[in-house]
Structure formats: C-alpha cells, structure tokens
Amino acid sequence: MAHCRKTRCNGKRKQAENEKSSGCFECCIKCLGGVPYASLVATILCFSGVALFCGCGHVALTGTLTMLENHFSQITTDHATLTIVIQTMQYVIYGIASFFFVYGIILLAEGFYTTSAVKKELQSQFKTTVCGRCITATFVFLTYILGLAFLGIFGFSAIPVFLFYNMWTTCAAMKSPIANITDPDSICVDVRQYGIIPWNATPGKACGSTLGDICSTSEFYLSFHLYIVACAGAGATLIALLIYMMATTYNYAVLKFMSHGGRRSTKFSESY
C-alpha cells in the first residue's frame, strides 16, 4: 500500500510538472504569436537605414566642403552659398534622424495594438473603435507620403555618388591613359559645370597630377565611400517604409473587416 501511494504521488508530481512546463511553452507561443513581425522587421531596417544615411551623409558633406575649399574654391566668398546649403542639409539630417526614431517606435506600437485588437476580437473580448481605425488610416496616409518623400531623398543621395564616381574614373583614366591620349595633363575635372560652385570660382577645376593628388586625399576617399553607404541607407529606409505601408494597410483592412462583424482573418498576417 505504501509503495502504491508513493508511486501515485510521484505520478501526480510528474503530471503537475509536465502541465507546468506545457503551460510555459503555450505562454511563450502565445506571446510570440502576438508580435507584429512585419512592423518589427521594418523598424529594425528603418533605424539601421536612417542611422547610415544620417551619420554617413553628415560626415560626407563635411568632407566634401573641405575638399572644395582646399582644391577647387580657395576664395571664401565663392562658396559661401554652398557652405550655407551644406550646413542647412546637416540640420535637416538631424531632424530626419529624430523624426524617424520617434515615428518608427510609434508604428511598432501601432502594430502591437492592432495585433492585440485582432486577437481579442477573434475571442469576442474586444471591439475595435472608430478612433483606432482612424489612427491606423492616418498612419497609412503618413507612411505613403513619407515613402514618396524618401524616394526623392534616395534619388538625391545618388547624385553625389555619381559625381564622385565620375571623378574617380577620371583619375583612373589619368593613371592608365588609353592609347589615343598622349598627355595625361589634358584630363581635367571641372566641378563648376555641375553647379556646385559659381563659374568665377578659382581655380574651379583640377588637371593632371593635381587631380591625381586630390583623388589620393583622405577627404575624397572617405567622402566617396560614405556617400555610397548613405545612399544604401536611404534605400534601406525606403524599403522599410514600403513594409510599413503594407503592414499598416493590412492592419487597417483587418480592423475595418472586424468592425463589420467579421470573425475570420485572411491567411496573410504580419502577426501570425
């Protein structure tokens, strides 16, 4: 009898431990099922892209101004307007970084809210409100506008990459001149033709060995690669905004569907 009681107690203890471990597992699965993975991935991608774009762009602009002052425009009044434009762009970069840090967190919170609302709606524990649907619709509109704006920023960030690439290829051509070029000093880069500095800037262009020395400076090398990284960061941010746009649009569609008494969700969902 004592042996039977002991065996029975051990069995109950093991059963309780199994139920406890099973309960923890189900709780973890439930928590993971409530994560808006699309919004989470978009937030990580957005933060990474904005950090690359703002950080590298800020340093690259400073290096570009230093290179122009040292080699292409030695009179301060000639590039005074350019200095103001670059400083303004750097302040804009500060604003972009701050805004997207806050906006990314808000969109992630909105994703968690919508996921929770949908799950509770399916369990008949929660009713979506008109205010919640209006907030989601507002985020859809703002994300669409920001996506269009950052598409323009992405295109604009490719311009300095193109200019620096042209300068780099010119330097490479000067170091290895082709057969029909007999005088490497005839190879020049005139930045005045791009509208960066006025036509009366002195000297405005660089040729031959002077151009080769400019291409070998740390300002040129660092700025060129930083502009490439900044352009890639702008592209990553644009992709993140597209993911946000799809996620918020889907969230709004689900909330709208639930508000009309729907109980079945589609197979595509950012949370489960």
Side-chain angles (χ1 to χ4, degrees):
M1 292 291 295
H3 178 71
C4 292
R5 290 178 180 176
K6 185 176 181 180
T7 303
R8 190 178 305 156
C9 290
N10 291 334
K12 290 182 179 180
R13 187 181 299 111
K14 291 181 179 179
Q15 183 179 1
E17 292 177 354
N18 292 333
E19 290 178 354
K20 184 178 180 180
S21 60
S22 177
C24 292
F25 178 76
E26 292 178 355
C27 181
C28 292
I29 295 298
K30 184 178 180 180
C31 292
L32 292 176
V35 176
Y37 291 104
S39 296
L40 183 61
V41 171
T43 302
I44 296 174
L45 190 61
C46 180
F47 285 174
S48 301
V50 170
L52 291 176
F53 172 75
C54 294
C56 296
H58 185 278
V59 178
L61 288 172
T62 303
T64 301
L65 183 60
T66 301
M67 187 178 65
L68 288 173
E69 290 176 347
N70 293 336
H71 304 287
F72 294 97
S73 181
Q74 299 175 356
I75 301 177
T76 306
T77 55
D78 290 342
H79 59 267
T81 304
L82 178 64
T83 302
I84 296 174
V85 171
I86 288 180
Q87 291 176 351
T88 303
M89 292 175 64
Q90 289 177 333
Y91 284 117
V92 170
I93 284 175
Y94 297 148
I96 290 175
S98 303
F99 173 79
F100 273 93
F101 177 76
V102 177
Y103 191 70
I105 294 177
I106 293 175
L107 285 182
L108 182 61
E110 192 272 341
F112 275 103
Y113 160 77
T114 306
T115 301
S116 176
V118 171
K119 285 186 174 294
K120 290 183 178 181
E121 178 79 14
L122 291 173
Q123 298 172 2
S124 300
Q125 298 177 359
F126 183 79
K127 292 292 183 181
T128 58
T129 62
V130 177
C131 181
R133 295 194 297 272
C134 289
I135 292 175
T136 303
T138 302
F139 283 133
V140 172
F141 176 74
L142 287 178
T143 306
Y144 179 77
I145 297 299
L146 289 173
L148 292 178
F150 231 89
L151 181 62
I153 293 175
F154 175 69
F156 182 77
S157 64
I159 295 177
V161 177
F162 173 75
L163 298 180
F164 272 78
Y165 177 76
N166 283 343
M167 189 172 177
W168 178 78
T169 53
T170 304
C171 291
M174 184 193 63
K175 293 179 181 179
S176 301
I178 57 178
N180 60 347
I181 295 180
T182 58
D183 186 11
D185 291 335
S186 62
I187 302 176
C188 299
V189 169
D190 192 347
V191 298
R192 294 174 297 184
Q193 63 181 338
Y194 300 119
I196 299 176
I197 55 178
W199 280 103
N200 59 354
T202 303
K205 65 178 182 178
C207 303
S209 59
T210 303
L211 178 59
D213 294 337
I214 294 174
C215 292
S216 301
T217 58
S218 59
E219 290 86 4
F220 175 82
Y221 183 83
L222 182 62
S223 298
F224 182 31
H225 289 82
L226 287 178
Y227 276 126
I228 295 175
V229 177
C231 185
T237 306
L238 181 61
I239 294 174
L241 288 174
L242 292 177
I243 298 175
Y244 274 137
M245 194 185 307
M246 292 186 291
T248 52
T249 303
Y250 174 79
N251 291 340
Y252 175 76
V254 170
L255 292 178
K256 191 73 174 178
F257 176 71
M258 292 297 180
S259 67
H260 288 84
R263 284 296 180 272
R264 288 187 177 182
S265 179
T266 58
K267 292 183 178 180
F268 175 75
S269 176
E270 69 161 323
S271 58
Y272 58 95

